[in-house]
């Protein structure tokens, strides 16, 4: 498979398409990004990698961080966490309070905000120095010690915390949050503020390849096979807010998007891939990124289905 | 892979488990089945097949028929149907009216009852002799001309039609049903009443293997690759009512269950498999069937993830 | 109190107001009415009456009939009906299925469609010749034997029955409807199709005055005091769909509106009043009718509060 | 009318009834009250008053304070507040987040928690020394300068603030809260912590009698007639959480309850009445208090209907 040529075709074809998306502006820091940025980075299980465009430029990973925090919490606590978080798709916009109330403070899955906030609450208990330790985990799985938080973005999120504060207080009222709401939010907003490039994201997501056995630099698997498989299952059913079915349907890979315009997807036996284009469609996913991944699985004639 | 031995191990191990499930009794005909029945049939892409237990005995396929009616309607109409049905998980019990009302009569996906009723309505328009033609399609994909409707079950469903009649009238009020409500229900209840064995179901679901290119008896693919892939994506995100995430999570294959106790699953490059055990868990899926498939992907160390 | 002068002032003042309402057109027959029609009829407990405009012209009473069917069913069955219907405001648009599903087929109150359909189902059991007997009850309380159904409107409603058929099937599924759905709908649509003038409506609603003791022509009260009081309580909390609070707030009387543009209100110790103006506001209540009644309680400085 | 004899009959008859209610314990301070306490105080418009039992003993007025804060905000700001709060019944348990989300942060009415929190937010803007000024208003309308906050109860509420914090953050996210969440909660919890006797409550609620013209000690009305009328309308449609219809239905008066076991009701041209009995029914209203008021309107044959 000539991946490099395919990536270049995708870049060319998607640049010609008319974009109707909008860069996220709910926090001012995110709105400052250049909407024309675009990059792809594809890391194969054979160790080779391919890239085009701005694939080495860093951006705010936002909700993509939810997969990494889930990986860490599963590594530390295993399946014991599922009494506090579900594994079912939400079928509702990503920040809805409705289902949370009907289900007594148990979030539907770890990729809606409520679920990621519970994961953050568990990590606050499990980690000695939560922010440092989580960052170190991300650096290790990405194989790059220069990765960092964007303190400005984290602070900006904290100033616009009300929706997430409402969710967290509601879950605390149901007994599903153990720490102070502001402590949970501080950790969560830092986690979302991490800046990474497509290259770094694709490298980090190799921990979900080959049943967790793929590792660029180390001998042992980061995740046991069962956990890697489960995270992939969660990504394919719940990774794209109210567009998860559409993503499985048109792209056919497990993946996760963020409002910074990034998407990472995984073809478990073949590759991990990260794409970045800031303008978002009406469901909150990168418009050009979605098209690029659809072209990738169409041109390679590969999907998990 | 020694599939025969694995199936026998699964049969033995699951027979030792304590069952807490209940046979569906909402229509009296379904309640008459022997709860101790159990069978598996696995059909590989290399043409070989493996079986244990009551795998040749026929049972009411119920909601499994929704995959077959979707396959036929996609074959006839292609992706033009998606303006009348969504592709997102429902995140709610399978017969909820709530989401249907919020989304103005457009069902979330073709595997909830409302979605299957819209598929039935389209088939009433597209097929010359709807009941005969649909049955012929099922016979052809299963490669068995003896498959038939169970008129007693269909009649019993019609006597308990109120929930589905409510759904259909609601969608008709929103303009998303074109035929008379009773005509739609008559076709739909017949479709659900089809009796098939695990063997017949596994054979029929080979149309979703190898991008639709697998065919036991014919030269041409029944479905084009894109459609086979899309149906697999829908099965993995929406195939198990409110337990779809759990199924993807613990089993890791596209699949579909029915309240008759049957489950069919597909490992796109390897096999299709059907399992049957009538007692249902609290989410309406076969309890022993779920365990059997979980053991299958654990023992074979194969899943799409 | 010079009611005649007040009614004339109201007529003049409301005719000068700019109307933004729309005549109901969901059934074609209703759409044929002249939007400029306007009348008021006020019947005092001292036997005197006052009127302006088209107060003797008949129109489709529609949902106003729900108060009369409730009065009859309470007269026949007393408070035993409340295990099948609630007495709480719905807090949702008048035809929502959501609450009905959450509350297992028990409608919130007898003035939403679902509740009126349960009342109709009970009357089908209680009355020997349901349509004849109900009409006779209406004629008797209005003191006018010429009142009749409009068969064209009833037939037109039946052709657009889907929303109400959906509600009725849902309640039947929950076991709260005993008769065939079409029989319930036929009775209900006839009930709604009754044509009455403001004069006839005001006379009919005198049964809710003075604790049910007011009666223009007979010695005995039609309703016992408790039942009259309860119907007034239901009208003030539930009589105006999603505008019930607004009506209590701005007008301060028990009342009931219909999509034919009629509103009847009751000042229990003083008068009953009916007003008619076909154009409806966005909540489905007569726009000019609401203004007229607000002026009435403002000018008379009388309300129940 | 021999009110004294009626109150004594009510006391005797309700003491014989078997109570199934439970004292509120969601904050420990409330749970310390003696469940056997019972008192009634009735204040007539002719200046006479009647009482039985523990009518001079003070208790936590809790949600009854919402009527007093609404009265003050309407006195200060008039009807301009209705763009931030609705006037419709909620049709849902009193602390539901669902409707608030669907209606974009505008609470349905000022008597659900969300609505009272918006009223508190407005008072924080309007009052120079919010807690002092509000307390002075309550002292003035009750005619008793000894009324005070219970700081222990207010502090206990703050420790269990999560549900209300969730509501307030959600509304702040929608732009309907202007002050810091904790400042709003501090004012609100103080307001709810006020301790008053039945006597003091009945005196305070005289401002809603006779169109606001009743005043025990002063020449001028506290409220203009329109505002008094509107608050009565709101009490009858929204005063009893999910039991408002039942209260209107069985008692037939505007009123407001609190989880401290108090209920105040108003017969606009005749009297205000306060009753206290701590055990609550399943809807959160005083069980014996509801019975007492039902007996009062039955025995006096007086209600607004």
């Amino acid at each position: 498979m000539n991946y490099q040529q395919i990536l270049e075709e995708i870049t060319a074809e998607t640049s010609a398409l008319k974009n109707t998306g909008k860069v996220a502006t709910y926090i001012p820091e995110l709105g400052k990004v250049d909407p024309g940025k675009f990059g792809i980075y594809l890391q194969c299980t054979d160790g080779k990698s391919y890239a085009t465009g701005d694939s080495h430029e860093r951006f705010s990973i936002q909700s993509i961080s939810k997969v990494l925090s889930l990986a860490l919490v599963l590594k530390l606590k295993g399946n014991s966490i599922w009494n506090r978080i579900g594994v079912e798709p939400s079928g509702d916009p990503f920040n809805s309070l409705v289902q949370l109330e009907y289900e007594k403070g148990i979030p539907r899955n770890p990729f809606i905000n409520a679920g990621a906030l519970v994961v953050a609450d568990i990590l606050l208990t499990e980690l000695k120095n939560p922010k440092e330790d989580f960052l170190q985990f991300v650096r290790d799985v990405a194989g790059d010690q220069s990765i960092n938080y964007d303190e400005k973005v984290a602070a900006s999120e904290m100033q616009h915390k009300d929706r997430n504060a409402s969710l967290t207080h509601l879950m605390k009222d149901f007994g599903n949050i153990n720490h102070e709401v502001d402590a949970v939010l501080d950790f969560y907003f830092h986690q979302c503020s991490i800046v990474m490039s497509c290259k770094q994201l694709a490298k980090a997501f190799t921990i979900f390849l080959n049943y967790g056995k793929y590792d660029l630099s180390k001998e042992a698997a980061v995740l046991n096979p069962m956990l890697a498989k489960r995270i992939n299952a969660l990504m394919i059913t719940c990774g794209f807010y109210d567009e998860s079915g559409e993503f499985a349907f048109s792209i056919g890979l497990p993946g996760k998007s963020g409002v910074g315009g990034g998407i990472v997807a995984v073809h478990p036996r073949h590759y991990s891939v990260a794409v970045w284009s800031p303008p978002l469609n009406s469901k909150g996913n990168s418009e050009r990124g979605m098209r690029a991944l659809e072209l990738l699985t169409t041109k390679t004639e590969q999907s998990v289905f």
Side-chain angles (χ1 to χ4, degrees), chain A:
Chain A
M1 188 80 61
N2 190 337
Y3 284 117
Q4 187 60 37
Q5 186 187 323
I6 288 173
L7 295 193
E8 283 164 15
E9 286 172 20
I10 290 169
T11 305
E13 289 175 32
T14 59
S15 76
L17 292 168
K18 191 163 166 284
N19 272 284
T20 59
K22 300 248 183 289
V23 172
T25 54
Y26 74 101
I27 57 169
E29 288 298 320
L30 287 181
K32 293 177 183 165
V33 74
D34 175 357
K37 293 289 181 185
F38 179 80
I40 316 183
Y41 193 97
L42 189 146
Q43 174 67 47
C44 285
T45 48
D46 63 8
K48 293 186 188 149
S49 60
Y50 309 89
T52 66
D54 307 309
S55 63
H56 287 64
E57 190 163 331
R58 300 181 187 203
F59 57 90
S60 196
I61 67 169
Q62 294 293 320
S63 289
I64 297 170
S65 69
K66 292 169 181 171
V67 189
L68 299 170
S69 64
L70 177 65
L72 179 54
V73 89
L74 280 175
K75 190 176 157 70
L76 295 169
K77 299 278 291 175
N79 286 312
S80 70
I81 68 165
W82 303 118
N83 61 334
R84 292 181 59 187
I85 317 166
V87 297
E88 296 301 321
S90 70
D92 256 332
F94 66 106
N95 48 14
S96 173
L97 286 154
V98 178
Q99 237 158 359
L100 200 54
E101 188 162 24
Y102 285 129
E103 302 185 323
K104 313 258 175 236
I106 306 294
R108 280 238 127 194
N109 66 65
F111 296 154
I112 55 172
N113 284 15
L117 287 159
V118 171
V119 168
D121 187 62
I122 303 173
L123 287 176
L124 283 184
T125 300
E126 298 299 319
L127 300 177
K128 200 167 174 181
N129 300 299
K131 282 191 273 190
E132 292 78 355
D133 296 353
F134 177 70
L135 186 59
Q136 193 55 50
F137 172 74
V138 175
R139 288 172 170 174
D140 289 347
V141 295
D144 188 328
Q145 300 300 316
S146 73
I147 293 169
N148 230 320
Y149 295 122
D150 181 331
E151 293 290 346
K152 268 194 191 168
V153 166
S156 187
E157 293 273 11
M158 191 56 106
Q159 285 183 318
H160 299 81
K161 70 178 178 181
D162 287 303
R163 168 66 61 157
N164 286 304
S166 179
L167 284 168
T168 313
H169 276 293
L170 180 59
M171 293 188 290
K172 196 169 169 67
D173 184 59
F174 280 115
N176 200 19
I177 290 289
N178 295 321
H179 295 84
E180 286 302 309
V181 169
D182 273 350
V184 175
L185 293 176
D186 180 57
F187 180 79
Y188 173 71
F189 291 142
H190 272 84
Q191 157 195 328
C192 291
S193 82
I194 289 177
V195 281
M196 288 170 79
S197 66
C198 288
K199 179 184 177 186
Q200 291 164 337
L201 281 168
K203 300 279 188 201
F205 273 61
T206 57
I207 61 173
F208 308 117
L209 297 181
N210 275 341
Y211 305 108
K213 286 170 203 154
Y214 182 90
D215 190 308
L216 291 172
S217 58
K218 306 194 199 69
E219 306 237 329
V222 172
L223 289 173
N224 77 44
M226 179 63 81
L227 296 179
K229 179 176 135 183
R230 293 203 157 184
I231 291 176
N232 285 334
L234 278 164
M235 283 197 278
I236 210 162
T237 50
C238 316
F240 290 82
Y241 310 132
D242 208 30
E243 204 173 22
S244 295
E246 179 62 32
F247 191 79
F249 186 78
S250 59
I251 294 162
L253 297 178
K256 185 75 200 79
S257 66
V259 295
I263 304 178
V264 194
V266 166
H267 195 332
R269 245 63 65 218
H270 296 83
Y271 59 76
S272 60
V273 61
V275 59
W276 175 46
S277 167
L280 309 178
N281 66 19
S282 63
K283 306 288 178 120
N285 300 310
S286 170
E287 186 178 32
R288 191 175 170 189
M290 294 284 278
R291 286 172 179 165
L293 292 176
E294 188 171 4
L295 283 172
L296 177 64
T297 55
T298 303
K299 285 172 184 287
T300 59
E301 294 191 334
Q302 289 176 331
S303 86
V304 300
F305 305 121

